[in-house]
Structure formats: C-alpha cells, structure tokens
Amino acid sequence: MKRIFEDHKLLLTLLLFLIVSLISIYLTDLNGHIWSFLGMNNDGRFHVMRMEGLYEALKYGQFFPVVNMSFLGGFGYISNIFYANLWLYPVAFLRLIGLTTIQSFIVFYIVLNFVTFLISFGTYYQVSRNYDKSLLFSFIYTLSVYRIFDMVRRFDIGETLTLTFLPIVILGIYEIFYGDENKWLYLTLGMVMVIYSHALSPILIAIFIFWIILFRIKILIKEPQRILKLFYAGIVSLALSLAYFLPMFEQLKHTQFKLTNSPLIDVSQSGMTIKQLFSWSVTNDLYNQNIGLIMLIVAIIIPFIIWKIKTPVIRDFSIIGEILLFMTTDLFPWKFFVKTPLNMIQFPWRLDMLITILFAICLASDPLNWFNSDWKKIIIVMLTLGLIVNSEDTLIRNHPYEYDSYKSFNELDVYSIGGGEEYLPQDANLSDLHKAAHVPVVKSGTAKIKNFSQQGSKLAFDFQNAKNATITIPIIAYYGYSSKESTGQVSRLTMDQKSNGLGKITINGSGCVEINYYKTFIQKGSKILSGISLLVLILCIIFKKRMKNRVSLINK
C-alpha cells in the first residue's frame, strides 16, 4: 500500500485536494442551495454582478471593459477601474459556453479551493522540502475559518483571491528577509497577483512587511542587499501593475467619488472586543469575522513556547501574528490612524488573513516536534475539515432564511453595488437612480427626441428642432465618456453632479447624438507599459537562466 502511494503520490495528492475542495463547501454551495445574502447592500451580489458584467461585455466583443454596464439598469458602474477583472475571465468564459450564473460561480469556488490547496502546498514545500508538513499547512490554511468566512459569508471575491495568492507573497518575504534574497521575484509575482485581486490587500501586506523590517533590522544593517532586493521587488511589481494603478488614479483625479469624499466606515470604530474575539473564534462562528478555534489555540500557546522556538522566521512570524491579532481589537489606538492611508482598510479584522497564514505556518512547522507521528498530523487534518463542515452546518441552521435555491441566486439585482456605494459620484443617490427613467430627458429648452437606443456603453438618439436644449443622458458620465461622434450642434458631454452624476449635453437644431466610452490615453498607455515590463522581465529571466547554464557548462 505504501509503495502504491509513493508511486502515485502526486496524483493521489491532487485527487485529495479536489475531493476536499468539494466537501469543504458542499453544505453551503453544492447541494441544490447556496447560503447567501440576496439584498442590495451585500458585497456578494456586487461581485456576482462584476462577473455578469464581464460576461455581457465579452458577448458584445468588448474584451477589456472599463465601465460595467450590467449595473444600475444600464446607467453603468465603473467598478472595473477599482476591481481588476483579470481573475474573473474564467467565470465569464463558463457563462459564454452556457453555464448559468450559479453554476459558473460554484465551479469558480471549487477551482479557488483547489488552487489554494496547490499554492499553499507548493510554497511551503519550496522552503521545507517536507511533504507531510506541506500537506498539513495546505489543509490548515485552505480550510481556515477566516478564509471560509470570506467565501461563504461575505462572498468577498477580491479578498478570497488574495488569500489564494497570499502564500506566494509570504514565500517572497521569507526569501528576501530570511532565505535567498535573489529569489525576490516570488514577492513580485505574489504582489502583482494580489494587486489584480483586491485593492486593499497590498496595504495589509505593507503593514506586515513593516513589522518584518523592524524584527530584522540588525540583519538588514549587516546585509543591506536584502533591502535592495525588496526595492527591486517593489519597483517591478509597480511596473507590472501600472495597468491597474494609473487608470484608477486618473479616474480619481477627474471624478469626485463617494469613496474619497464620503467614506462610510471609520477604521477606529471597527475593532473587535476581546470578548467577541474569543467567543466567535471558540465557536468557529462563520457568521462573524474571527480566526477560528485552531488559530485561537495557537495564539494562546505561542506566548508560552516562543522562547523555545529557535528558527528565526517561525519565531518572528509567530510574534508578529500576535501583534496583528492585537491590532484587530478595540484595544489598539486606531483613532490615531483615521486621517492616514490605514483608514482605507476599513476593518482592522481584515488583518485576520495575515494572522491566519502566520499561525498556520507556525503550527505546520511544529517547532517543538509535538506532531512527529503521522497519526497526529492526520488528526489535525481531520479536525480542521470536521470543524469547518460543522461550522457551515451551524451557519445554515442558525440562519435558514439566507439558504436560497439556485433559482433565486440566478435572479440578479442590477442595483447591488455594495453597501458602501464607493464608485458612485459624490452626490449621487442610489434610490433616485433606481427610480429614474432610462431615457434621455429634456431638462431645459425644447427639442424633439426619437430613436433612442443603447448597446452596452454606446447610446444614440436623433433630435430635431432643438433650441438650447439641455439633455440628461441616462449613463453615469465617468471620465472617458464622450459625444465626439455626434452630428449637428452637440456640446461636450459633462457629468451633472446635481443629477446623480448622469451625463449632460446641450443641443441645437437637428442631428444625431452618439455617446460612447472611449479608453483614455492613460488607460491604453498603462497597459502597454505593463505589457512591455512583463516582456522585459521574461527576457531577463531567460537570459539569466541561459547565462547560468553556460557558466555551469564551462565549470564542468
């Protein structure tokens, strides 16, 4: 039996990952029902609409849409600027080949579970070269309470994607600060994947790197090349991410958003109490944010054993995990950071993603050799899976009204733009947009309008006998929309902040109004720059590899 396992270890491991990927979300997603919030203010619905919007755009031949026109009944929502679509293309492809919204979503979730298993196993094995510990880490991390909470409770696709790629980031940080700093590309790869997943997560990772620098300051003074490699990783990550950052900053410069002018969440008011931290974690409560029972036990044990941990990286990761856990509570003075960029993280408990992976590394490394027997590791794996399945069952039983049929989930709500409404113009009112007629409206002057049509972001209508007529256009006039293809006396399109950010033009005489979204120079140029950066990076890697092989041949 052991011989068979050794001969087919890779295949059996992949099969195990696939089976557990299914089991771990079976109750909440795979038995004909899905536990979900269907209300307008739920971020889960928002992310599903992001997927649906990309699918609709691809149907019309728009491969890189800027404005998601599936939102707001055709008014459009510029979520694609702030949430990159890169990792959603597989879902859109599944929709294109005929799967329903829920079918595509579930397949995506299974794939995310499976890929998280693969990445967490592979990154840990890269350092440890220990199969058993790598397998243990992949289970502890992939089935962690906070990660499953993000998937089945919050439906936060962006953060769930971050958790998928986070082990690569941690591997890169390990190599730069503790291992071979010449392997800094791991950090670059991980950060780029995270940036194109979730805009806020890089801030959380920066907090972690800040603590790492403090803990390794003596080593960094002796080995300054490590800081240089961190700089390399940062610069290359930035170059590869210009296609994301530059269009976002451009849009922020030209449009006043609720995101920057009316933030709904103050980080100082979102910390957990110590009672909440313990009570929610002890019960593995998937309805509320927490690190789960296993990670809580690790957190309690670390202060008693930290002086026995001899491996610097495990010791530092464990202590930093404790510091970050403290930062999630209301005991940490977040009020001093409200006016800083840290306020953008909104909820201190977002740090649970880092706490989870740091404590998982500590547990899997078994620094005191407590789990030296195979049966002990098997017990931890089974306990991890059993606890998460039981937590999902409890979630369903305690909140049965959120347990919806697949049919209900397929009924999309186009006004589900997330509770924060961050990407609406500053003075826009969602209720007013919900009530507004989706047709051009003469606000002043006179004009006869006919033949109105819309396909995606393109709108058109004919007008006659117009006299200084101000027309409200039924799209939110984000920067990039233009009326330049119109005929007749048609003014430049502007955003009317007094009319929920809808477009506004002035027309005279007769002609045809054509309005569409045109990618800006910054949007086009940033993609080219990131593409060139990727090409240069690949060529450098190939050249370096060939030079290394040539040196090896010469030495032989």
Side-chain angles (χ1 to χ4, degrees):
M1 190 70 175
K2 187 175 181 181
R3 178 64 183 274
I4 294 175
F5 176 75
E6 289 297 330
D7 290 343
H8 304 282
K9 181 183 285 189
L10 176 60
L11 179 61
L12 291 174
T13 302
L14 294 176
L15 183 61
L16 176 64
F17 287 163
L18 179 59
I19 292 172
V20 178
S21 295
L22 295 166
I23 293 174
S24 61
I25 57 171
Y26 175 78
L27 291 178
T28 52
D29 296 274
L30 297 176
N31 64 343
H33 289 75
I34 184 166
W35 196 95
S36 64
F37 285 113
L38 297 180
M40 271 196 348
N41 292 328
N42 175 247
D43 283 349
R45 272 306 200 189
F46 162 70
H47 288 293
V48 174
M49 285 301 303
R50 285 179 58 212
M51 298 172 181
E52 198 68 12
L54 180 58
Y55 155 66
E56 292 290 343
L58 292 177
K59 276 203 311 183
Y60 292 110
Q62 296 179 325
F63 298 105
F64 305 104
V66 177
V67 182
N68 189 320
M69 298 307 299
S70 292
F71 278 112
L72 304 175
F75 288 115
Y77 197 50
I78 202 162
S79 57
N80 298 345
I81 285 286
F82 298 92
Y83 274 95
N85 281 333
L86 179 60
W87 308 115
L88 301 186
Y89 279 90
V91 186
F93 174 75
L94 292 174
R95 292 285 285 118
L96 287 171
I97 64 175
L99 272 66
T100 65
T101 300
I102 184 63
Q103 289 170 341
S104 303
F105 187 83
I106 289 174
V107 171
F108 184 59
Y109 258 24
I110 294 170
V111 170
L112 280 182
N113 269 346
F114 185 72
V115 173
T116 305
F117 268 118
L118 289 179
I119 290 177
S120 54
F121 177 89
T123 51
Y124 198 93
Y125 190 81
Q126 174 70 21
V127 176
S128 70
R129 298 298 170 180
N130 186 301
Y131 175 87
D132 292 346
K133 288 185 177 181
S134 301
L135 189 66
L136 180 61
F137 171 73
S138 67
F139 269 80
I140 296 170
Y141 178 70
T142 305
L143 302 181
S144 60
V145 167
Y146 184 74
R147 181 178 173 277
I148 300 300
F149 163 77
D150 257 351
M151 291 183 73
V152 306
R153 165 65 168 89
R154 294 182 66 212
F155 278 77
D156 191 334
I157 302 301
E159 200 166 290
T160 300
L161 282 164
T162 291
L163 284 159
T164 299
F165 305 125
L166 187 58
I168 303 176
V169 174
I170 301 300
L171 174 60
I173 291 172
Y174 163 78
E175 293 292 4
I176 290 175
F177 290 98
Y178 299 90
D180 182 358
E181 67 273 13
N182 292 314
K183 296 180 179 179
W184 55 268
L185 275 175
Y186 283 124
L187 181 56
T188 295
L189 176 64
M191 285 302 298
V192 171
M193 288 177 162
V194 167
I195 288 167
Y196 285 100
S197 300
H198 188 234
L200 298 180
S201 293
I203 300 175
L204 304 175
I205 293 169
I207 294 172
F208 175 54
I209 293 176
F210 166 79
W211 285 110
I212 288 289
I213 290 174
L214 288 184
F215 274 66
R216 299 292 285 174
I217 191 68
K218 290 183 179 180
I219 298 297
L220 295 175
I221 292 173
K222 294 178 182 178
E223 302 174 11
Q225 72 275 12
R226 294 186 181 274
I227 286 293
L228 183 62
K229 297 306 167 66
L230 177 64
F231 177 75
Y232 288 169
I235 289 297
V236 177
S237 298
L238 181 61
L240 294 173
S241 305
L242 289 176
Y244 170 75
F245 284 118
L246 291 184
M248 179 179 67
F249 291 140
E250 178 189 40
Q251 199 65 222
L252 288 170
K253 177 183 177 182
H254 289 279
T255 307
Q256 297 297 311
F257 290 98
K258 289 182 182 289
L259 170 71
T260 51
N261 291 277
S262 307
L264 299 179
I265 302 169
D266 186 330
V267 70
S268 66
Q269 300 173 356
S270 308
M272 294 185 294
T273 65
I274 295 296
K275 180 180 179 181
Q276 289 172 334
L277 171 62
F278 275 84
S279 62
W280 293 341
S281 296
V282 166
T283 57
N284 279 327
D285 186 356
L286 286 179
Y287 196 78
N288 295 292
Q289 68 279 357
N290 66 92
I291 58 174
L293 177 61
I294 292 177
M295 298 305 172
L296 181 64
I297 292 173
V298 173
I300 293 171
I301 291 176
I302 283 174
F304 297 98
I305 68 168
I306 192 65
W307 58 278
K308 294 183 180 180
I309 300 177
K310 303 303 181 183
T311 308
V313 63
I314 302 301
R315 183 179 62 243
D316 292 353
F317 279 14
S318 300
I319 296 173
I320 293 172
E322 297 282 12
I323 294 171
L324 297 179
L325 185 61
F326 171 71
M327 290 176 67
T328 66
T329 70
D330 57 2
L331 298 177
F332 187 80
W334 281 107
K335 62 182 179 181
F336 296 114
F337 298 91
V338 171
K339 301 297 183 181
T340 72
L342 290 182
N343 193 59
M344 289 192 295
I345 71 172
Q346 300 174 325
F347 307 108
W349 46 260
R350 288 187 191 273
L351 291 167
D352 282 350
M353 73 163 67
L354 287 164
I355 297 164
T356 293
I357 194 168
L358 296 179
F359 285 170
I361 291 171
C362 177
L363 181 58
S365 69
D366 190 18
L368 301 187
N369 205 29
W370 286 351
F371 313 116
N372 53 351
S373 301
D374 289 343
W375 67 268
K376 293 179 181 178
K377 295 184 180 73
I378 292 173
I379 286 177
I380 295 176
V381 167
M382 297 305 294
L383 180 64
T384 302
L385 179 58
L387 285 173
I388 209 67
V389 170
N390 179 70
S391 298
E392 291 179 0
D393 179 62
T394 302
L395 180 70
I396 293 167
R397 285 189 286 104
N398 290 347
H399 305 278
Y401 294 110
E402 313 296 348
Y403 202 41
D404 300 294
S405 67
Y406 286 173
K407 182 177 181 296
S408 297
F409 194 88
N410 281 327
E411 295 171 357
L412 302 175
D413 189 332
V414 298
Y415 288 89
S416 294
I417 61 174
E421 304 174 8
E422 292 99 331
Y423 315 126
L424 282 180
Q426 179 181 357
D427 298 320
N429 184 287
L430 183 60
S431 297
D432 290 346
L433 287 170
H434 202 298
K435 299 172 186 175
H438 196 75
V439 292
V441 176
V442 179
K443 301 293 287 186
S444 64
T446 58
K448 182 179 180 182
I449 294 174
K450 61 181 181 178
N451 301 328
F452 170 68
S453 64
Q454 179 176 2
Q455 181 176 323
S457 59
K458 183 177 181 180
L459 297 83
F461 60 87
D462 298 322
F463 65 92
Q464 294 176 344
N465 304 322
K467 294 182 180 180
N468 293 321
T470 299
I471 310 297
T472 296
I473 308 298
I475 45 97
I476 297 177
Y478 296 110
Y479 182 70
Y481 271 108
S482 174
S483 57
K484 63 183 181 180
E485 297 297 326
S486 300
T487 59
Q489 299 181 50
V490 180
S491 71
R492 183 174 66 89
L493 178 75
T494 59
M495 176 182 283
D496 187 354
Q497 289 285 0
K498 295 181 180 180
S499 185
N500 296 303
L502 296 180
K504 181 176 69 174
I505 58 172
T506 300
I507 57 176
N508 280 285
S510 299
C512 177
V513 171
E514 288 191 14
I515 294 171
N516 203 352
Y517 192 92
Y518 299 92
K519 289 185 174 65
T520 67
F521 174 79
I522 292 293
Q523 290 167 5
K524 294 175 182 177
S526 61
K527 281 186 172 62
I528 293 172
L529 289 175
S530 287
I532 292 173
S533 300
L534 179 59
L535 180 61
V536 171
L537 178 62
I538 292 172
L539 292 175
C540 288
I541 292 172
I542 293 173
F543 177 76
K544 185 176 180 180
K545 188 174 182 179
R546 287 185 176 180
M547 288 299 295
K548 185 177 180 180
N549 291 339
R550 186 174 298 177
V551 170
S552 298
L553 289 173
I554 293 173
N555 291 335
K556 286 181 179 181

